[in-house]
Amino acid sequence: TQCMETETIQINNKKAAEGGKRGDSVGGGISSNSLHTLAFPSISTADFQFNHEKASDIIVESIDEALNKFKNIRLVMVDLSSGSRILSLVKDKAVKKKLDPLRFFTFAGNITLINTEGNLGCTVIANATNWRLKPGGGGVNAAIFNAGGEALKLATKEQAGTISPGKSLVVSLPSTSPLFKREGITHVIHVLGPNMNPERPNYLKNDYVKGCKILCEAYSSLFESFASVVH
Ligand code: AR6
């Protein structure tokens, strides 16, 4: 059944993409054309080693809340491979929770090529960053800072020097950034998630009471920030 569910979502994704072009009406009569799209990675589940079962529950719950609260948004969760465990967990739980497949779906690919490869019409992408908002460091943070170029580094520095766990920071992308020019991305939202990796700062020592609270805050903050950008 897991394979069948996966297939259903893929079909729905196709429909969502086509629907976007045709301007089909979705929940509440808002045309999917007029929905603003955020692409986001799974926060904290790779380098920060957060438990995937717990994270997927929080992700689906947070998406459900955001879609109910903000009627003009569409959310796309991205990971590099279609074999991604966190992506599969979220897909399955999204079906069980009956999230609207036109307003939330998953995408396997590189988030820095979201529009040229995925043709999803995303205007904003989220980044799973580190507390110093430091370019590099591997993972999606390195990929996004590389793709954003000097312009993203400077614009981020101008906004803040550090970020706390559970918070997000909106950076408006200068039109000189390759991410703006190539992908049409107007904003990057940096997010710092909870860290369960003993070799990284702010290590939570497996305290999942704190960890889950911070991951919830991180996603709420991300979706709130996105909604305010596209308001
Ligand atoms: N496109 C889409 N998804 C990606 C990409 C990409 N180009 N690259 C990685 N992912 P991680 P964290 C997925 O480790 O766990 C950094 O060093 C990846 O498969 O990037 O929050 C920072 O500087 C995974 O599903 O973030 C921090 O120190 C997800 O992105 C630390 O890692 C997040 O994985 C943050 O760790």
Side-chain angles (χ1 to χ4, degrees), residues 43-44 50 58-59 61-62 65 163-169 189-194 204 209-225:
I43 311 292
S44 291
F50 198 95
I58 290 169
I59 293 166
E61 184 64 42
S62 306
E65 268 176 31
I163 184 172
S164 309
K167 303 284 188 226
S168 65
L169 176 77
I189 305 177
H190 298 295
V191 186
L192 181 61
L204 287 174
V209 175
K210 270 193 198 150
C212 288
K213 188 168 169 275
I214 294 171
L215 194 62
C216 276
E217 286 167 3
Y219 281 105
S220 306
S221 173
L222 167 62
F223 298 147
E224 295 266 346
S225 290

Side-chain angles (χ1 to χ4, degrees), residues 26-28 30-31 34-38 61-75 100 102-104 189 216-231:
V26 292
I30 298 173
S31 158
S34 65
L35 294 177
H36 297 280
T37 306
L38 167 75
E61 184 64 42
S62 306
I63 292 168
D64 188 32
E65 268 176 31
L67 294 184
N68 283 323
K69 194 163 169 191
F70 309 111
K71 296 297 181 191
N72 64 336
I73 66 169
R74 186 166 79 146
L75 304 172
D100 180 349
L102 291 170
R103 295 186 62 213
F104 171 69
I189 305 177
C216 276
E217 286 167 3
Y219 281 105
S220 306
S221 173
L222 167 62
F223 298 147
E224 295 266 346
S225 290
F226 173 54
S228 66
V229 164
V230 299
H231 180 69

